[in-house]
Amino acid sequence: MARVDVNIMGQSYSMVCREGEERALREAAIYLDSKMKAIRDAGKVKGNDRIAVLAALGVAAEFLSVKSPQGPLSELTIMEVKQKISAMHMVLDSALTPQENLF
């Protein structure tokens, strides 16, 4: 396992991922950070939790639009996609749990 430090909305997170997946995790964090900052900068939503939910919904909508018969995920079953999402949730939960204890 490899440790990766990322920054999202000015908050640092230390995460663990499989060897070789560090770049993908960093790119995902940069992408999420840009989505969340765009929502924040639009000024219509207050609170990082609400911003995170809206960003997650936007990313999920983008993901689902890619999941088409011709899309890059077309070879995956829904179960495989759910497993990948579940694995991402576990990584995020393990990174965010220690952060919650700080507040």
Side-chain angles (χ1 to χ4, degrees):
M1 298 300 272
R3 182 163 300 281
V4 176
D5 294 319
V6 298
N7 194 306
I8 301 171
M9 293 265 297
Q11 184 71 34
S12 295
Y13 299 93
S14 184
M15 300 182 182
V16 177
C17 64
R18 292 185 191 134
E19 294 291 334
E21 294 181 356
E22 299 92 343
R23 180 178 175 190
L25 182 55
R26 282 188 189 97
E27 288 176 0
I30 290 168
Y31 185 72
L32 179 60
D33 184 54
S34 69
K35 291 290 187 182
M36 289 180 68
K37 285 180 178 177
I39 293 168
R40 178 199 64 200
D41 294 346
K44 296 180 181 178
V45 178
K46 300 292 182 201
N48 286 350
D49 56 338
R50 291 180 183 268
I51 291 170
V53 168
L54 288 177
L57 286 172
V59 171
E62 290 173 14
F63 171 78
L64 291 173
S65 71
V66 173
K67 179 73 174 133
S68 67
Q70 303 84 2
L73 302 176
S74 62
E75 299 298 317
L76 297 177
T77 66
I78 294 298
M79 181 58 79
E80 290 170 323
V81 171
K82 286 182 179 181
Q83 289 171 342
K84 288 185 179 295
I85 291 172
S86 178
M88 286 187 261
H89 281 241
M90 288 173 43
V91 169
L92 291 172
D93 286 344
S94 68
L96 294 176
T97 300
Q99 299 292 328
E100 290 175 2
N101 294 332
L102 296 176
F103 300 103

